[in-house]
Amino acid sequence: MAESVELPSRLAILPFRNKVLLPGAIIRIRCTSPSSVKLVEQELWQREEKGLIGILPVRDSAETATSGTAVSSGVGGESADRGLKNQAGISDTHKLDSKNQQEVIHWHDRGVAARALHLSRGVEKPSGRVTYIVVLEGLCRFNVQELSTRGTYYTARITSLDMTKGEMELIEQDQEFVALSRQFKATAMELISILEQKQKTGGRTKVLLETVPVHKLADIFVASFEISFEEQLSMLDSVDVKVRLSKATELVDRHLQSIRVAEKITQKVEGQLSKSQKEFLLRQQMKAIKEELGDNDDEEDDLVALERKMQGAGMPASIWKHALRELRRLKKMQPQQPGYNSSRVYLELLADLPWEKASPELELDLKAAKERLDADHYGLLKVKQRIIEYLAVRKLKPDARGPVLCFVGPPGVGKTSLASSIAAALGRKFIRISLGGVKDEADIRGHRRTYIGSMPGRLIDGLKRVAVRNPVMLLDEIDKTGSDVRGDPASALLEVLDPEQNNTFNDHYLNVPFDLSKVIFVATANRMQPIPPPLLDRMEVIELPGYTPEEKLKIAIRHLIPRVLDQHGLSSDFLQIPEDMVKLVIQRYTREAGVRNLERNLAALARAAAVKVAEQEHLVPFAKDVQRLSSPLLDGKLAESAEVEMEVIPMDVNNHDISDAFRVASPMVVDESMVEKVLGPPRYDDRETAERVANPGVSVGLVWTAFGGEVQFVEATAMVGKGDLHLTGQLGDVIKESAQIALTWVRARATELKLAISEETNLLEGRDVHIHFPAGAVPKDGPSAGVTLVTSLVSLFSKKRVRADTAMTGEMTLRGMVLPVGGVKDKVLAAHRYGIKRVILPERNLKDLVEVPATVLSSLEIILAKRVEDVLDQAFEDDKDESLNETDKLLGRNNGIDPQQERCEDRGESTITLSGLSELDTFNAFV
């Protein structure tokens, strides 16, 4: 412990900002500013153990203005070259801030002389700045008489404030001092005992208590406490030892009481909880501390914030009452309880739902809506007309409960984008809910909160994400829902889509009614058959059969090619796809109702072009005699005879800038050789149908699938056997029955058709019949293959070929009647895509031809059949050597060449698109 020291008349001054060093205390500082480094170097480093410096407290200007602490005359007006920042503890750092060159330093008039216990010198790299780490021990108080500067640091003329040995002996005999000393030591001993029990230390402190004079011990104890700057200054100014002891006793007692309160809190918490709940123990301690301090900050309380959020959600009165009851229950729960998180998540959902928030209703402009629909979708005139009618009703009666529109059609025809266009026309937010593969009713109604991992249904979750109560909600792939032991999602949708019920939709997780009547629902499906009739009854079905080749061409030119070029970083300056090449791709590489495969093929051409452009532009040499690029992106970045390997294009540069920066000599034009090189050999041609029906026993049927209409070949052959019928092609029960009916009808009329000599002749005597539907991996079912099967069998037994330009569809009865079928529009479009010129339909399907585009009807010859004989009348080829058809001879009819048929053959129009049939697809082939 430091003994009494003799102070010089002048000391170098190291200012401490908002910090006091008391006698007997030890502090570690790091000096980095030029002034403090200079002071340490000259006053401590060079003098080794003999150096002494003065530590003088400095007050911030703002604090000085409010506190009113006295400043020594002649000192308060001194200006410092820099301000000093100090922090207590072993990491105390002293820095002088050069930006405070003119700041007035408010010095305290009393300080403490200090000596260095340890010095270490360091050099910062790479700046080379010298720094010092100094461990200082406070020695005694002094009073500042005069302050002056010495170079870059301050010095002061001082007088010591310590008592002499004689004065101290007189004070020790004072009874008041003795009582104060005894009280201070008793309080300090109690504090040491408590600390020894808690921290298993205190032996050295007891030695100090017995050996160090009590007036110095007071400074040492107070220096170890966390007290305010004002209290530190008050302790520094306590020159009178009685006053010093009194203040020290008060501070030690206060520290002792704070320790007792902490122990009381710990005992209270430990009595309530087990030792294993450490995290909960800490939370309880924090809560108890706040109770003792009377500090309950509502702004920092998450539950209070949640309550305010719930208040602003605009819940109805009945739901608000329910939410408050749940909130009160949550406040009584501990965070570690199992139901705490689930209750909190539930209340957050209630607060996030748009109970009142809605998108503003814009003034509907039908003309603008029609222009947007025309810009986004080519063709689909009747569909767009129905949407305009729907919007017109919404304009006249905004609160009208309109029907739920359900767009039904094959993939790639624009069902989802139509729903998005409706939302844009109404100015509402759009959200898509995918129902494909949903088999759990809880996906619609939500899980009950009693289950672990429960969550709301997709509808409520979608409304939470979109944050408005009146969006346009697309229920995508509504025909792909299924049912199992977990319920039937389609049945749950009945309440959602019923305008009389959905104003009180009850989600199991939410457990309170939510109004869905403001939501505009739009549904999409590939086919209607899987949709349950009660659900289908709640929707207005709008069919999108697919596009004709002419419409596909327009769509490709207007929409697909610009989009593909943009997606691949190209423009028309790099790649041009002529209209003839687009037609070629449509005819020879795609056969589909939509345009997705067409877009994929165009993207393949764009990728091939991107490779060519990238290879050409990877290196762009420049010579002195070559004119440089005029692009502003390259200005100033190319030296003469230089070679540019890469140019970084900023993110905000548009495609035109890029095109200007990287311009090829001439754009790449797609030709037939490039199409075949990129896409491979043509997948389809006009000769496919003729080649497949070249032999008797093959007929061409029309089918309907989830991907649109398709052409289906039916093959029949006979062999030696026992008269059995063999069916292959992964057929369903209905189509097997159709084959049996067709064979029975042909056998019953074998004599009339001249297939047998007499009625007693068995057509199947000694032979079996095998009927096959190609694409054997694809399941097929449905009754509309009846007339196709009859035609195939008659062709087989009569050895006559079916016309290659003729396709047919229709269900037949055992008596030979041709019954109507569904999907006529899709089937006629499929025939048109395959280049078929003649289509045989049931007579009662005449009304369905209204839906077929006029351009398609004008290129086809539609033949209506009432009986199977009418089908056979038109199905077979004419004999080129004779004026009578062989089939007509059998039937006793005279049938010359039909002029209408001749005109149809003269037109010679045919289009080919992608089939859509795949060995991995599963669909009902016949309707």
Side-chain angles (χ1 to χ4, degrees):
M1 188 67 201
E3 301 294 337
S4 298
V5 293
E6 184 176 348
L7 297 181
S9 60
R10 182 170 290 275
L11 281 176
I13 299 299
L14 183 63
F16 269 26
R17 185 176 295 277
N18 297 333
K19 178 68 179 177
V20 175
L21 176 65
L22 292 175
I26 297 176
I27 193 169
R28 178 180 179 272
I29 63 173
R30 182 170 180 264
C31 301
T32 58
S33 64
S35 59
S36 61
V37 168
K38 192 70 174 177
L39 183 149
V40 172
E41 222 170 50
Q42 294 186 2
E43 303 294 335
L44 298 178
W45 184 265
Q46 296 177 3
R47 299 187 183 185
E48 298 180 351
E49 298 181 358
K50 299 179 181 179
L52 294 177
I53 61 173
I55 304 299
L56 202 58
V58 176
R59 186 189 301 275
D60 284 339
S61 301
E63 294 189 6
T64 303
T66 58
S67 63
T69 303
V71 181
S72 300
S73 61
V75 177
E78 294 286 345
S79 62
D81 60 335
R82 292 187 175 185
L84 188 63
K85 179 181 179 183
N86 171 54
Q87 295 180 349
I90 63 170
S91 61
D92 288 343
T93 304
H94 296 264
K95 294 182 181 178
L96 291 178
D97 189 358
S98 61
K99 70 180 181 181
N100 293 330
Q101 294 270 349
Q102 305 302 323
E103 179 186 358
V104 176
I105 299 180
H106 301 277
W107 304 90
H108 196 63
D109 57 354
R110 286 191 177 95
V112 174
R115 67 180 177 185
L117 298 180
H118 175 76
L119 276 173
S120 62
R121 188 173 185 266
V123 179
E124 292 183 351
K125 293 183 180 180
S127 62
R129 185 174 61 170
V130 177
T131 62
Y132 285 94
I133 295 178
V134 187
V135 179
L136 295 174
E137 178 189 12
L139 299 179
C140 60
R141 292 174 174 81
F142 64 79
N143 192 47
V144 178
Q145 299 296 327
E146 181 185 357
L147 191 67
S148 60
T149 58
R150 179 184 297 172
T152 60
Y153 59 90
Y154 288 90
T155 63
R157 186 165 54 84
I158 63 169
T159 56
S160 177
L161 295 177
D162 269 11
M163 299 177 66
T164 62
K165 186 175 182 181
E167 292 174 341
M168 194 64 220
E169 290 177 353
L170 291 176
I171 290 294
E172 288 176 350
Q173 297 175 3
D174 189 347
Q175 295 298 322
E176 183 181 357
F177 176 79
V178 173
L180 287 172
S181 299
R182 189 179 296 114
Q183 182 182 1
F184 173 77
K185 286 188 175 183
T187 307
M189 183 60 72
E190 186 177 359
L191 175 62
I192 292 171
S193 299
I194 293 177
L195 293 176
E196 186 176 12
Q197 293 176 3
K198 293 174 65 65
Q199 304 175 1
K200 307 301 181 184
T201 59
R204 295 178 58 189
T205 310
K206 285 184 178 180
V207 173
L208 289 176
L209 198 61
E210 295 172 357
T211 58
V212 177
V214 68
H215 66 282
K216 294 184 177 180
L217 198 62
D219 288 331
I220 295 173
F221 265 78
V222 171
S224 64
F225 300 153
E226 290 290 338
I227 58 177
S228 66
F229 181 56
E230 295 296 334
E231 290 174 327
Q232 293 177 18
L233 287 178
S234 176
M235 195 67 186
L236 178 64
D237 292 339
S238 300
V239 179
D240 190 324
V241 291
K242 296 180 183 179
V243 176
R244 191 187 311 166
L245 276 175
S246 177
K247 290 184 178 180
T249 303
E250 180 184 350
L251 291 172
V252 172
D253 185 64
R254 191 175 72 186
H255 191 66
L256 181 62
Q257 293 302 323
S258 66
I259 293 177
R260 286 173 177 170
V261 170
E263 284 186 344
K264 179 182 177 182
I265 293 170
T266 303
Q267 292 173 359
K268 179 180 177 182
V269 173
E270 288 178 348
Q272 296 175 357
L273 304 172
S274 64
K275 295 181 179 180
S276 62
Q277 296 175 303
K278 293 182 179 180
E279 183 180 355
F280 182 68
L281 175 63
L282 296 175
R283 294 182 184 275
Q284 288 297 106
Q285 286 179 338
M286 185 180 296
K287 181 178 179 182
I289 290 171
K290 287 187 176 182
E291 289 178 357
E292 291 292 336
L293 297 177
D295 183 15
N296 291 322
D297 190 359
D298 289 345
E299 295 296 327
E300 300 297 326
D301 194 336
D302 291 341
L303 293 182
V304 174
L306 177 59
E307 184 175 2
R308 286 197 300 270
K309 186 177 180 181
M310 291 168 57
Q311 290 172 350
M315 303 179 194
S318 59
I319 298 175
W320 172 245
K321 183 178 179 181
H322 168 79
L324 277 182
R325 184 167 61 252
E326 186 72 20
L327 181 62
R328 284 194 297 269
R329 190 172 76 89
L330 179 65
K331 289 181 177 178
K332 296 177 183 179
M333 298 171 64
Q334 301 299 336
Q336 284 71 32
Q337 287 183 294
Y340 181 86
N341 284 332
S342 63
S343 294
R344 179 165 180 166
V345 171
Y346 173 70
L347 290 176
E348 287 177 349
L349 173 65
L350 288 178
D352 289 337
L353 284 177
W355 299 96
E356 288 185 343
K357 185 178 180 182
S359 300
E361 291 287 346
L362 302 179
E363 183 67 24
L364 274 175
D365 187 350
L366 294 181
K367 183 178 179 182
K370 188 175 185 302
E371 291 175 353
R372 182 179 182 87
L373 286 172
D374 290 337
D376 294 344
H377 306 84
Y378 181 82
L380 307 177
L381 298 180
K382 293 188 177 181
V383 177
K384 291 190 284 189
Q385 180 60 33
R386 179 61 186 91
I387 294 175
I388 293 299
E389 293 171 358
Y390 178 84
L391 297 178
V393 175
R394 299 286 309 183
K395 180 177 182 179
L396 298 178
K397 190 174 177 58
D399 58 344
R401 295 181 177 179
V404 177
L405 301 181
C406 180
F407 298 119
V408 178
V413 295
K415 300 185 296 295
T416 302
S417 57
L418 280 172
S420 178
S421 298
I422 293 175
L426 291 171
R428 297 193 182 190
K429 290 187 177 181
F430 175 74
I431 183 169
R432 174 181 172 270
I433 306 294
S434 178
L435 299 179
V438 173
K439 294 185 178 181
D440 191 352
E441 181 185 355
D443 282 336
I444 306 299
R445 289 191 176 275
H447 303 83
R448 299 192 183 276
R449 291 175 54 208
T450 53
Y451 297 119
I452 297 175
S454 59
M455 63 183 69
R458 299 193 181 194
L459 302 177
I460 295 297
D461 182 66
L463 289 173
K464 174 189 172 182
R465 286 186 283 117
V466 80
V468 291
R469 63 184 299 209
N470 62 341
V472 174
M473 183 175 290
L474 174 65
L475 304 177
D476 205 11
E477 307 293 350
I478 200 171
D479 59 326
K480 303 298 190 303
T481 59
S483 61
D484 57 14
V485 294
R486 296 170 293 180
D488 185 5
S491 299
L493 287 172
L494 294 176
E495 180 185 1
V496 175
L497 301 182
D498 192 340
E500 300 298 330
Q501 302 180 41
N502 62 9
N503 58 342
T504 57
F505 174 70
N506 190 3
D507 185 276
H508 289 161
Y509 182 86
L510 203 60
N511 203 28
V512 291
F514 191 89
D515 186 7
L516 295 179
S517 61
K518 302 299 181 183
V519 180
I520 295 180
F521 291 100
V522 180
T524 66
N526 291 131
R527 51 200 183 112
M528 289 187 295
Q529 281 71 23
I531 304 176
L535 182 60
L536 193 63
D537 182 63
R538 283 165 169 77
M539 301 183 294
E540 179 180 342
V541 176
I542 300 177
E543 295 188 11
L544 285 74
Y547 299 109
T548 64
E550 293 78 10
E551 290 174 336
K552 288 184 179 181
L553 178 62
K554 297 293 184 181
I555 293 172
I557 298 298
R558 295 186 183 183
H559 301 285
L560 300 184
I561 293 178
R563 184 165 64 199
V564 165
L565 293 179
D566 181 67
Q567 289 174 351
H568 293 79
L570 301 173
S571 68
S572 57
D573 295 332
F574 294 97
L575 177 67
Q576 293 181 2
I577 306 178
E579 187 173 316
D580 292 341
M581 293 300 101
V582 178
K583 288 182 179 178
L584 182 67
V585 174
I586 293 173
Q587 292 174 356
R588 297 188 180 181
Y589 292 91
T590 63
R591 276 184 181 172
E592 58 172 345
V595 292
R596 285 183 180 167
N597 280 320
L598 174 59
E599 184 175 5
R600 293 188 186 104
N601 288 327
L602 294 176
L605 296 173
R607 289 194 298 271
V611 173
K612 296 290 185 182
V613 173
E615 289 176 349
Q616 293 178 11
E617 296 298 338
H618 183 65
L619 293 176
V620 184
F622 288 88
K624 294 182 180 180
D625 56 346
V626 179
Q627 184 178 0
R628 294 171 176 265
L629 296 181
S630 60
S631 169
L633 296 174
L634 300 181
D635 288 349
K637 297 187 180 182
L638 300 177
E640 291 186 354
S641 301
E643 192 176 68
V644 178
E645 295 186 353
M646 181 179 294
E647 175 66 21
V648 179
I649 305 299
M651 291 298 294
D652 56 350
V653 176
N654 57 29
N655 290 339
H656 297 293
D657 295 334
I658 297 176
S659 300
D660 293 337
F662 299 103
R663 185 178 298 278
V664 293
S666 61
M668 184 180 301
V669 180
V670 176
D671 55 13
E672 189 169 351
S673 62
M674 179 179 177
V675 171
E676 187 165 348
K677 180 180 179 181
V678 174
L679 303 182
R683 299 183 60 185
Y684 312 102
D685 56 51
D686 296 339
R687 300 188 302 273
E688 179 185 5
T689 305
E691 291 173 355
R692 298 188 69 167
V693 299
N695 298 320
V698 182
S699 59
V700 185
L702 296 175
V703 303
W704 183 91
T705 74
F707 302 93
E710 298 296 340
V711 168
Q712 174 70 61
F713 294 92
V714 177
E715 301 174 352
T717 187
M719 70 210 84
V720 177
K722 300 179 181 179
D724 297 332
L725 175 64
H726 303 280
L727 300 172
T728 55
Q730 200 172 160
L731 308 179
D733 292 337
V734 176
I735 201 169
K736 290 179 180 178
E737 293 176 355
S738 297
Q740 189 64 54
I741 292 171
L743 181 58
T744 301
W745 186 88
V746 171
R747 293 179 63 187
R749 287 163 177 75
T751 305
E752 298 177 17
L753 298 173
K754 303 301 182 183
L755 303 178
I757 301 174
S758 64
E759 293 182 1
E760 289 78 14
T761 304
N762 184 1
L763 196 61
L764 299 180
E765 181 70 29
R767 58 180 174 177
D768 292 345
V769 174
H770 187 163
I771 300 177
H772 176 64
F773 290 75
V778 182
K780 310 169 187 69
D781 201 5
S784 65
V787 297
T788 312
L789 287 164
V790 168
T791 305
S792 176
L793 290 172
V794 172
S795 173
L796 172 68
F797 293 133
S798 65
K799 309 297 182 183
K800 297 295 183 182
R801 294 184 300 177
V802 178
R803 293 185 56 159
D805 63 347
T806 302
M808 61 197 71
T809 183
E811 179 183 1
M812 67 167 293
T813 68
L814 195 60
R815 295 294 182 178
M817 294 289 295
V818 179
L819 301 182
V821 293
V824 171
K825 182 177 180 180
D826 300 270
K827 294 176 179 178
V828 172
L829 290 177
H832 179 62
R833 291 197 299 269
Y834 272 75
I836 290 173
K837 301 302 181 181
R838 304 168 76 243
V839 177
I840 301 176
L841 297 176
E843 186 180 50
R844 291 169 60 183
N845 281 123
L846 177 63
K847 60 183 184 302
D848 298 315
L849 296 177
V850 179
E851 303 293 331
V852 181
T855 55
V856 175
L857 286 178
S858 64
S859 61
L860 293 175
E861 178 186 356
I862 305 298
I863 301 169
L864 302 177
K866 188 174 183 179
R867 295 189 56 83
V868 177
E869 290 85 348
D870 300 330
V871 176
L872 299 176
D873 220 10
Q874 301 288 338
F876 296 102
E877 289 185 350
D878 294 331
D879 194 334
K880 297 181 181 180
D881 298 329
E882 299 179 15
S883 61
L884 293 180
N885 185 289
E886 184 66 24
T887 304
D888 293 329
K889 292 180 180 179
L890 293 175
L891 298 176
R893 298 178 181 178
N894 186 358
N895 183 20
I897 298 178
D898 189 357
Q900 184 178 1
Q901 175 186 340
E902 189 175 350
R903 288 194 304 271
C904 178
E905 292 174 350
D906 290 340
R907 281 194 295 268
E909 299 179 10
S910 64
T911 55
I912 302 175
T913 54
L914 182 63
S915 171
L917 291 177
S918 169
E919 292 190 354
L920 300 178
D921 296 328
T922 301
F923 61 92
N924 293 330
F926 289 92
V927 178

